[in-house]
Amino acid sequence: MEAMVVKQPQPVTIAFDVMGTDHGPAEVVRGAAQLSLDSPHIHALLVGDRTLIDNALAETKHNGERISVQHAADFVGMDEKPGEALARKPNASVAVAARLVAEGEAQALVSAGNTGAGVLACARHFQLIPGVRRAALATVYPTRSVRGAKEDPFSLILDVGATVEATADDLVTFAVMGSNYARIISRNERPKVALLSNGVEPQKGPPRVVEAHARLSEMKDIHFIGNVEGIDIPKGTADVIVTDGFVGNVCLKMLEGVHETVVELAQYAYKESLRWRAGLAMLSSGIQRIKDITDWNQYGGAPILGFDRIFIKAHGRSKAHAIANAGKVAAKVVANNLGNAIREGLQK
């Protein structure tokens, strides 16, 4: 009887923009170091100030064979305007990292730095996939429902800021891209895709949404469930929600605000009342379970979709664990050839 052959992951190099995060370069280095020990198929190419990177590596356990360094003296800060900053600093770490990916030195880019600078660097060095007019910035958010073989509690929403005014063509393209990404990452063969509108009826919404609805309804390769409203976002009615960048960004900030408010209310309740404190203590295991399954650190990052190269944007507050998970997401997307899947979906 022949022994079963276990297919090993293909080697992949991920370029990490080390600079410009909220917690400094050491956290990104620690995340890459963690990957070097846990994921033998991933090689981390660290882009940033070599001295800072070398100092962080000297204090962190890692496999030196799976890490290399590319010096970049400049970086774009969180509070800088992306266009102006990249014009002044053409060799900023995110620009150098994007250039290395475009030249084939790495297969994907991970950054927890300035989002606008990351998108702009990709736009300057990567090519749009044929059929894609504008790229889309996606993000994940926790929902009441789970999906796919992983029982993933996160849904995907796009765009959340890259394309403020989207046409019907753009919305259809976003649906194809988001569906393919969710299929790969959540191992969900038929992700439910919906348009965000002010009513579930097909004729509700601005003309571009109505037109996109009609076109998506005819597409057999997309599991399109129609329109959803804002109330459906946290319920997880859809696995992928499609909207323009203006509305998507407003939704994203609202979700973040609700999360912060709930945490603050819980802290207030804990301090103000012994009875509430006792109640929260009784619920502590359940609260921790909810925190564990909806923690964005577990997910790592979200993609910029539409380019011929992979860019995973990690949260600016990411620490080592989140950075490592962002690297794993990038490697998974590369291994499953997301670009080809999107290209084929658009052709159909």
Side-chain angles (χ1 to χ4, degrees):
M1 182 177 180
E2 292 185 3
M4 184 175 68
V5 177
V6 178
K7 187 178 180 181
Q8 297 297 323
Q10 291 294 312
V12 59
T13 298
I14 309 296
F16 288 87
D17 169 25
V18 174
M19 313 301 291
T21 73
D22 289 348
H23 294 295
E27 285 295 335
V28 181
V29 172
R30 282 193 279 269
Q34 181 180 325
L35 273 181
S36 76
L37 299 173
D38 298 342
S39 303
H41 65 294
I42 297 177
H43 182 90
L45 174 55
L46 305 180
V47 183
D49 187 298
R50 183 181 293 275
T51 301
L52 295 176
I53 294 171
D54 287 343
N55 289 342
L57 285 173
E59 299 175 354
T60 307
K61 185 179 179 181
H62 66 280
N63 185 333
E65 295 181 354
R66 297 177 187 149
I67 293 180
S68 55
V69 179
Q70 173 65 52
H71 179 67
D74 291 325
F75 69 93
V76 178
M78 286 293 193
D79 58 348
E80 292 189 82
K81 294 182 179 180
E84 294 177 4
L86 287 176
R88 292 195 317 271
K89 308 171 184 178
N91 290 315
S93 56
V94 69
V96 173
R99 187 162 62 242
L100 290 169
V101 174
E103 293 171 352
E105 296 298 320
Q107 285 76 57
L109 166 61
V110 170
S111 175
N114 185 304
T115 300
V119 174
L120 188 55
C122 290
R124 290 179 176 178
H125 294 287
F126 301 170
Q127 299 295 319
L128 289 170
I129 294 171
V132 176
R133 190 183 73 92
R134 300 291 298 271
L137 173 60
T139 194
V140 294
Y141 60 93
T143 68
R144 194 167 68 191
S145 303
V146 297
R147 53 201 48 82
K150 287 177 56 182
E151 296 191 341
D152 191 344
F154 290 94
S155 282
L156 189 76
I157 183 169
L158 71 165
D159 177 37
V160 294
T163 302
V164 174
E165 295 184 4
T167 65
D169 283 342
D170 294 328
L171 295 175
V172 171
T173 299
F174 296 170
V176 172
M177 296 194 298
S179 177
N180 279 284
Y181 183 83
R183 176 178 56 80
I184 289 169
I185 295 300
S186 299
R187 296 208 299 269
N188 181 0
E189 284 304 313
R190 292 276 289 169
K192 294 180 290 185
V193 179
L195 287 165
L196 185 61
S197 190
N198 62 330
V200 297
E201 299 84 358
Q203 69 275 16
K204 281 295 183 75
R208 62 182 181 277
V209 173
V210 175
E211 182 183 343
H213 187 290
R215 291 170 58 181
L216 287 168
S217 297
E218 299 296 321
M219 297 177 67
K220 304 303 181 186
D221 293 311
I222 300 289
H223 185 191
F224 180 59
I225 62 171
N227 291 345
V228 294
E229 299 177 279
I231 194 173
D232 295 300
I233 295 175
K235 290 181 179 179
T237 303
D239 305 321
V240 178
I241 291 182
V242 176
T243 185
D244 63 62
F246 177 79
V247 174
N249 192 262
V250 170
C251 290
L252 173 62
K253 297 297 172 57
M254 182 272 296
L255 291 168
E256 290 178 347
V258 168
H259 170 75
E260 291 175 1
T261 300
V262 169
V263 170
E264 289 171 1
L265 287 174
Q267 291 171 342
Y268 173 81
Y270 188 84
K271 292 176 182 177
E272 294 297 315
S273 169
L274 177 62
R275 183 174 59 185
W276 290 349
R277 190 153 58 242
L280 286 169
M282 292 174 64
L283 292 171
S284 61
S285 62
I287 292 172
Q288 185 60 46
R289 172 60 179 156
I290 293 172
K291 183 177 182 296
D292 288 344
I293 65 173
T294 61
D295 187 0
W296 54 264
N297 282 282
Q298 301 294 333
Y299 203 94
I304 309 295
L305 297 173
F307 292 116
D308 62 348
R309 300 289 191 271
I310 304 302
F311 175 28
I312 300 297
K313 178 63 180 69
H315 200 289
R317 297 196 298 269
S318 293
K319 291 197 172 182
H321 182 61
I323 294 295
N325 282 337
K328 291 176 182 178
V329 169
K332 188 174 182 179
V333 172
V334 171
N336 286 275
N337 214 332
L338 175 64
N340 274 352
I342 291 174
R343 190 177 294 107
E344 291 173 2
L346 291 173
Q347 288 174 348
K348 292 177 182 179

